[in-house]
Amino acid sequence: MSASAEIKIYNGYGHTKNLVVYGHVFKWRPEIDVKLAANSFQQMLTLLKLFMSRPYAYARLRLVFMDQIIETESASDGFFKFKWTSEMHLEPGIYDLKVGLIEEGTETKYVPGKVYVPSTTQYAFVSDIDDTVLISHSASLWRRLRELLARNPYRRRLFEDNVIWYNLLSNAATETAHLNPFFYVSSSEWNLYDYLHEIFRYNGLPTGSFLLSHFKQWYNFFKSGRTKHDDKYRRIDRLLRVFPKQKFVLIGDNSQRDPIIYTALANRYPDRIVAIFIRNIKKRRSKFTLQLLKDLAKSDIRTCLFENNHEAIEFSLRIGLIQKENLYSNLSGF
């Protein structure tokens, strides 16, 4: 691999017959440390750098998983996807893999990655990020950009008790050794992966797989987060097809189109989706959101439009997603 080229691998997922790993390959990428921005000006420079990478288009890549070798080619924006079937049965757990760039006359150097295989008896949680976990004002371009530009990962604001709720869900009806999988699906671009990953790590949110939007160049910086929402539907739909035996819980907000997207998915997979939670960000949309959710009752899908995470936790307890003993050990004084 040439000295300046870089491979970025994101957490993979799947089961024996359907494993998926995503990533990006860059011809050049500026040195970035999302942790170092001490003020708004430095934070702005850091974020701009995230949009200044040079993708490696149509690069040949090789994945090594156990004794298997799979090859693929990156897209025009450097994005790559490996999709394969394991030659051996995989028990639930985390498995190692490695990906290398194939260049003529150059020794292939590999970058390590991981793929998570959950048990089919576990819940799978799909969560939006902006205005569901993070206070982002995503419906307003300028307020969203102000949050991004003014706050480093340690100053971003989460909704109160979101970390407690998500960790309770992560342990729902499973063992600590095999936590429920979380998939964070967002209209934010892959450029922001390191920034978002650091926010989640720092705050102690459950480790999961990020499913973000297409990589953008610097000249599209001010269009950040403006990806078409149809793409979000397709990403979640793909998850439901990858995990045909899994029961899903969808979590989002009504600042944009989550209620419509989630309702469409629930109508398509009524026996696969257990519950839908919608944060009531836009009060003027409450009536419309409630009507959408009410129409799902005949499919026995539990729905909750909530103002704060205490309400969401109480509803999770009521429908059996979380247990009292876990609740009391995590919520002193709740």
Side-chain angles (χ1 to χ4, degrees):
M1 188 165 68
S2 56
S4 59
E6 181 180 340
I7 295 173
K8 185 80 174 176
I9 307 174
Y10 311 116
N11 288 340
Y13 55 86
H15 56 80
T16 299
K17 294 182 179 180
N18 200 340
L19 296 164
V20 182
V21 167
Y22 302 107
H24 276 93
V25 57
F26 305 99
K27 280 195 171 182
W28 175 84
R29 196 171 184 232
E31 290 188 15
I32 303 168
D33 190 340
V34 295
K35 306 174 186 178
L36 294 180
N39 54 53
S40 297
F41 179 71
Q42 289 180 346
Q43 173 64 13
M44 181 177 68
L45 291 179
T46 298
L47 283 173
L48 284 172
K49 281 184 178 182
L50 293 174
F51 287 78
M52 293 176 68
S53 301
R54 184 184 174 193
Y56 198 144
Y58 313 116
R60 290 175 60 213
L61 296 143
R62 177 180 295 142
L63 179 145
V64 179
F65 178 74
M66 297 183 178
D67 294 329
Q68 292 180 252
I69 296 176
I70 305 99
E71 294 188 0
T72 193
E73 186 178 87
S74 66
S76 59
D77 62 352
F79 183 80
F80 64 83
K81 176 175 73 172
F82 286 98
K83 188 175 179 181
W84 75 102
T85 298
S86 174
E87 291 178 348
M88 60 177 290
H89 174 72
L90 300 177
E91 296 294 332
I94 298 174
Y95 294 85
D96 294 324
L97 54 87
K98 57 184 180 180
V99 175
L101 175 64
I102 305 171
E103 294 179 307
E104 288 187 18
T106 304
E107 180 185 357
T108 302
K109 295 181 181 178
Y110 290 94
V111 175
K114 296 185 181 298
V115 60
Y116 179 52
V117 177
S119 168
T120 57
T121 61
Q122 292 177 261
Y123 290 111
F125 293 91
V126 175
S127 173
D128 181 46
I129 296 176
D130 293 313
D131 290 320
T132 298
V133 179
L134 295 179
I135 298 172
S136 304
H137 309 292
S138 54
S140 167
L141 173 60
W142 294 111
R143 292 185 73 185
R144 170 184 161 77
L145 287 175
R146 187 175 64 186
E147 286 291 322
L148 277 171
L149 295 173
R151 300 180 187 274
N152 67 28
Y154 312 113
R155 296 182 59 222
R156 283 302 299 267
R157 298 171 296 165
L158 278 66
F159 289 98
E160 185 179 1
D161 291 330
N162 222 114
V163 174
I164 291 174
W165 180 34
Y166 275 33
N167 278 292
L168 286 167
L169 295 176
S170 183
N171 283 279
T174 189
E175 302 171 355
T176 305
H178 300 295
L179 299 176
N180 291 314
F182 261 81
F183 300 95
Y184 299 108
V185 183
S186 173
S187 296
S188 294
E189 298 77 15
W190 282 112
N191 308 65
L192 297 174
Y193 173 81
D194 289 332
Y195 175 74
L196 292 171
H197 186 271
E198 185 61 16
I199 293 172
F200 279 53
R201 184 205 64 78
Y202 176 72
N203 286 284
L205 285 157
T207 301
S209 296
F210 286 82
L211 300 175
L212 307 180
S213 295
H214 299 294
F215 192 87
K216 284 190 171 79
Q217 292 296 304
W218 63 270
Y219 45 80
N220 285 320
F221 176 76
F222 289 100
K223 295 181 181 179
S224 175
R226 315 306 286 182
T227 304
K228 292 181 180 179
H229 292 276
D230 288 347
D231 190 47
K232 190 172 187 178
Y233 175 94
R234 286 192 293 270
R235 279 175 278 158
I236 302 174
D237 181 75
R238 191 180 302 124
L239 283 175
L240 285 152
R241 287 185 280 112
V242 168
F243 295 105
K245 297 181 180 179
Q246 223 85 23
K247 297 294 185 181
F248 278 75
V249 175
L250 311 181
I251 307 171
D253 63 85
N254 66 353
S255 66
Q256 297 186 66
R257 293 180 59 82
D258 284 352
I260 296 171
I261 293 169
Y262 291 0
T263 299
L265 288 163
N267 286 328
R268 183 170 183 179
Y269 301 98
D271 58 333
R272 303 285 311 288
I273 295 174
V274 174
I276 295 175
F277 291 81
I278 299 293
R279 186 182 298 283
N280 193 22
I281 292 293
K282 295 293 184 182
K283 304 299 187 290
R284 67 176 184 273
R285 298 183 183 174
S286 299
K287 186 176 180 180
F288 172 73
T289 305
L290 280 171
Q291 186 58 53
L292 283 175
L293 298 179
K294 183 180 178 182
D295 291 342
L296 297 176
K298 54 192 172 187
S299 301
D300 293 326
I301 296 171
R302 311 302 294 272
T303 63
C304 177
L305 180 66
F306 62 99
E307 302 287 338
N308 57 65
N309 287 322
H310 279 206
E311 294 176 4
I313 291 170
E314 288 177 344
F315 188 80
S316 302
L317 180 63
R318 194 157 64 246
I319 66 174
L321 273 180
I322 59 178
Q323 290 72 47
K324 283 186 178 180
E325 56 270 24
N326 292 338
L327 176 67
Y328 296 146
S329 63
N330 283 275
L331 286 176
S332 56
F334 177 75

